Amino acid sequence: MARNIRVEKLTQTPIEKQEIEIVERKGVGHPDSMADGFAEAVSRALCKEYIKKCGTVLHHNTDQVEVVAGRSHPQYRGGELISPIYVLLVGRATKEFNEIRIPTDTTAVRAARQYLDSTLPDIDVEHNIIIDCKLGSGSTDLQGVFKRGKAPMSNDTSFGVGYAPLSETEQIVYNTERQMVLNFKKDLPAIGTDIKVMGMRKNDKITLTVACAMIGKYIDDLSHYISTKEELRDKICDLAMGYTDREVEVFINTADDEESGSIYLTVTGTSAEMGDDGSVGRGNRCNGLITPNRPMSMEATSGKNPINHVGKLYNLLSNRIANDIAKNVPGIQDVHIRILSQIGKPIDQPLIASAQVIPEEGANMAMIKSESEAIIDQWLADVTKMTEMIANGEIETF
Amino acid sequence: MARNIRVEKLTQTPIEKQEIEIVERKGVGHPDSMADGFAEAVSRALCKEYIKKCGTVLHHNTDQVEVVAGRSHPQYRGGELISPIYVLLVGRATKEFNEIRIPTDTTAVRAARQYLDSTLPDIDVEHNIIIDCKLGSGSTDLQGVFKRGKAPMSNDTSFGVGYAPLSETEQIVYNTERQMVLNFKKDLPAIGTDIKVMGMRKNDKITLTVACAMIGKYIDDLSHYISTKEELRDKICDLAMGYTDREVEVFINTADDEESGSIYLTVTGTSAEMGDDGSVGRGNRCNGLITPNRPMSMEATSGKNPINHVGKLYNLLSNRIANDIAKNVPGIQDVHIRILSQIGKPIDQPLIASAQVIPEEGANMAMIKSESEAIIDQWLADVTKMTEMIANGEIETF
Amino acid sequence: MARNIRVEKLTQTPIEKQEIEIVERKGVGHPDSMADGFAEAVSRALCKEYIKKCGTVLHHNTDQVEVVAGRSHPQYRGGELISPIYVLLVGRATKEFNEIRIPTDTTAVRAARQYLDSTLPDIDVEHNIIIDCKLGSGSTDLQGVFKRGKAPMSNDTSFGVGYAPLSETEQIVYNTERQMVLNFKKDLPAIGTDIKVMGMRKNDKITLTVACAMIGKYIDDLSHYISTKEELRDKICDLAMGYTDREVEVFINTADDEESGSIYLTVTGTSAEMGDDGSVGRGNRCNGLITPNRPMSMEATSGKNPINHVGKLYNLLSNRIANDIAKNVPGIQDVHIRILSQIGKPIDQPLIASAQVIPEEGANMAMIKSESEAIIDQWLADVTKMTEMIANGEIETF
Amino acid sequence: MARNIRVEKLTQTPIEKQEIEIVERKGVGHPDSMADGFAEAVSRALCKEYIKKCGTVLHHNTDQVEVVAGRSHPQYRGGELISPIYVLLVGRATKEFNEIRIPTDTTAVRAARQYLDSTLPDIDVEHNIIIDCKLGSGSTDLQGVFKRGKAPMSNDTSFGVGYAPLSETEQIVYNTERQMVLNFKKDLPAIGTDIKVMGMRKNDKITLTVACAMIGKYIDDLSHYISTKEELRDKICDLAMGYTDREVEVFINTADDEESGSIYLTVTGTSAEMGDDGSVGRGNRCNGLITPNRPMSMEATSGKNPINHVGKLYNLLSNRIANDIAKNVPGIQDVHIRILSQIGKPIDQPLIASAQVIPEEGANMAMIKSESEAIIDQWLADVTKMTEMIANGEIETF
């Protein structure tokens, strides 16, 4: 059956030419991102365990993880937690299948601990965090879903969205957080994982407001804290220069009151240690950003099953498609993708797959249409490949 | 100090002229909306209790409410729950202030029960739902915030967005759910509160896909179920005609397999009774819709304190401003508002308040700018009025 | 097969002739008794539901109920709770049997609410208490247990104990609490349900130390509180006179410091509202008393299944047998019963059923032995009658 | 003020001469003992932390620990857990004192993990157990308690009991479990920590019924399991011979059905992995035994604060006193101690401290009285030493 694909020319000021642009990224240690990260780590581990035990991925959704803040007493050169951070791995998973029992909850706990070790190493797993797990049994029967040679049925009437390419501001905001964690921390160990980068472009001036939880044990005193912020500011400015010729201004921890000593100091590098809770699906969209100038979906991507949950699949797919079109089809300034499912219909047959294209001046819109349609059609035909890539952890979800 | 207000002309195909438009609304009994509703009801009740006991609203955020699904055994003419729905009222609230103890948790439980009675009457509070409450103590000191004659300081670097006016599809989607609950249910008592309306406009054809949890005790048998769906479909079609001249097609409960008897039957009118969990901030935006063609914010609006939480205030404010401009400034097709705070700065002095306007052809952009700026400036000057209106429950948040 | 019954003469100072005797009773509103009461109410309701749905009682144990204290702000003529009391109904129950789904959790919640209404009416169910329920699935297969004409197999190697008759002090302690709740409260509505009666007999003088949570809304001021205590003391003295000719001294709320106004005032009549948690099986033994001069078992009786849980059955049975012997066999001062099971053996064939008898001087020990053995043998033969009586709520468990 | 001490001669058949004697011990890995062990480990750790930070022990009671069973899939040579065991450290603790914040919850979690490592090494802390912690704030003000040179006030009207010396059967039951864990496991690594020893003496024959959770990974097959039981039986018989000349019969895992392969196999060595929950205070009394022939108290000893909680102090004290008297005062067969407090009175001034003595024939009762009174008086005078010994972990509580 021919797919319902629609490529439309959009008359719109392209993102780089709009006067005001706002872009946000929450770092991996932000409580909302922590929830996303645990949710997706658990889903991946369940996928692997299901494949190992049953030969196929079974129904699960672990997208209700909650991070409940602890209480801390940060200090220069040290500090300690009063109450641990509490992480509740919650959701639903198939616990038995053809008389095979799947160790869902122990798998989830192990996955969460491994995620903690690899991604949030400054949180001492011994006594600074509690990882609890209460997975319910799923009610949905996904067995019918796996008929050879056929795509699964959509679990819901829902849509995914994506766009490409990233604007300068988007690239800067994304990479600022990434480089802080992956590189700058080598020189500045006090950098925590709870980072929030807010980028605001006003014509040709980009203002970055960065909140970064500093880790007390690596900071000697207030002057050390201040110099750390200064070094960090320089590094971020240098980084931004690599992506833009526009003017860039960087603010770090603007709520600090250095005179009174009220600064952003933590024990573990995340505000989850003191008062800030987190939930899945309330932070970054699946391209790692929050972008009110751009089309977005409300669906939580992390933790959902990659088999038939269109809220996950169509968002990741839309971004892949958008990137693919932006890269391979000539003459495009911006492309927006939306894919809408109808519950109970095959996932490779959406109700609509829509592309909105802002072409470059003089571009051949007919060719853009036909090439874009072909790309969309191919991705939909290959939608189950997405499932594999997600289960293998090849695709980031926040 | 002059406010940082920016009104910009946006070159963009207005919403009604875009080829594809997608709009969604989750009804009040959808698990995500239930979470939103409880969160906001608790916040309102806390506001009142704080004012009664302390003369002013104190710090609280109850935006982490979780709805955990029960298990049910629906049947025609009856059915029963096996395990109750579980609602956890969680977040943070000030429990003591100047030696006054505030009954935060009992207030929260009572507010949730009253909300249940008024909004979700088909859920038997006696044994079909558990309302649990674990409010932590807030860490933020908001005392400094309440200096007479001054606006509070932003609690975060965050933004709000809004737009106006609603498109035809948006009006239809919104009112379909509202009328089902408020009116159609009188004739069709089987209509549950867990409704999801997905609207898709493709040029001049609007497709509404409606999922509606039917309540078993009001349905005699399969043929009664089918006739109920047909009556409902007619009512929705009639309703839609009042908002558009476009062609409208309505699908109801498309996942039903009537032959096998697999239909959308429930005991309580919500899927939270069987397998579907809900969280705050993952459903409707504060204008009651999810609109990927439109600018959106990720912030959960429900349950946040209305004093200095810009994630709540700026979203509600942006929508008010957008509506005000759309209504009162001549020559506007669409208007988008974004307001960005910087943590620690007064909430009436945002880093930027931006309006993007798609004018009608030949409109006077200079006049639009000056009038829009005046409206924005006035609303920001009056921002604390929003706080009062929210505390009084005059503003919907989802 | 002949039962293993052993009746032994015990050379021991009978209880009334020992110099020092200590007896305690925790009232129905004591947090530990609350836990017992909820546990047993839930078990009874499950028994009824199982019989209704499946024709027989299925496996369950609800003996892990926890009562977690709230926080309160008591005052004369009023007061309010800050945080509700939290009751967690926890344990294990069979949720499905021959494809019949049993509404275990909703049944449990309803039973708990009804128990609250009937037994603890001063706790406002609307917002002063949260009843949560997390019953796990049982792992034990009890199907094999129900072979017609045969007794079930013991679930454990365990023992029950009992004794009779009650001493004077035991009768006074037991009835003091009972009369306070059932009668004295009519004249003195301030009497709460959280009562602790500690009786100490030193030769011929009985000292009763009574702690009674007073309900603020029925007390006008300190002098009213003091006069209430005085009236109560008089009533208890009168009551005690009905059971003994010994001297009786009564102390009420000895921790009060009337001068500073530090008294035992509550909102709901139980200390569970402020700081005192409760657990099943840590309060009264199944005869309603704690008696260190007497043989006791550690087993929690409340909430266990009455089919094959010998920790429940043998304790209740031992008390019945002891009472029966004390009443019907002449020449007995005190009788102690102990019954010991071995896991996997029929419950009517204990490893040992032992009676220790302190005969009156000159009693015919041979006749005592044979009559006692007959009584024990009969009760063991009829052990499944106990199950029925328990399920019907005819037997108190704490 | 002279203490209220009473030493009484008891006419009673001494324990060794009673016909029937029942004695039970639950091993350290029994779910109830696990709860006791965690509770006491946490209390000890809090004591140390309080002393370190504040110079003195502050108010806490951690005696509500719950062990909620996991689900497991045991197998020969392996096996795995499906759902982890869940341990909830709950109770109350002082979190702030003179502006010093005490890391109560992190301390509790760390203590529980260390206890696990040292005592239950077969439970893999990585993913087979969840240690959660929700300590409330205590309501009791214990500051007044610590006036120099004075004993604290009783927190409750309560009593403690003890007796000495241990009978043969008691010694055998106690040491069977201890030796299985500490010694026999070296040769028989399959021995788990969840052991229940039930001893029944009928005149001169002692029957030991031992339930021992075997660890699958150390067992190759059924014949290996059977031979392990046989070796264990021999070791226990040998052990018992060291304490008695009576006939001893040993049964191990009597519920096994070897033919059908239904045996007592586990992954971790405790039934908490599959269906058996545990609570504080429902297992062994503070001398490590459950003894229905002997006076017992219902009070949970583990986890209570050792400052003024008479339910803890008086039980431990009664046992110390009884042992001391039995060892040092000549002419005693059995001695029973009971100490009764009255709330609000100094703990070194109980309402009564009673000793009941069964003297040997011809013993000098006057001398026994005076020497016993002196021992009791001395221990009461030194009661605060008990507090230190408990905080230092020098005294077992279950």
Side-chain angles (χ1 to χ4, degrees), chain A residues 229-305:
Chain A
K229 288 207 301 183
E230 277 163 11
E231 281 187 66
L232 177 58
R233 188 181 301 119
D234 292 345
K235 282 175 186 283
I236 293 173
C237 283
D238 288 352
L239 171 82
M241 292 303 115
Y243 293 94
T244 189
D245 295 330
R246 286 163 164 145
E247 183 190 351
V248 175
E249 192 177 22
V250 176
F251 294 97
I252 295 183
N253 295 354
T254 53
D256 285 352
D257 181 350
E258 291 168 2
E259 278 180 42
S260 76
S262 165
I263 58 170
Y264 194 177
L265 207 65
T266 65
V267 180
T268 62
T270 167
S271 63
E273 71 176 44
M274 189 68 186
D276 279 356
D277 307 321
S279 300
V280 176
R282 282 172 52 171
N284 304 330
R285 299 302 84 195
C286 70
N287 68 344
L289 296 169
I290 302 172
T291 52
N293 294 58
R294 304 282 210 164
M296 290 194 289
S297 148
M298 283 304 117
E299 287 283 345
T301 304
S302 303
K304 285 179 172 155
N305 88 69

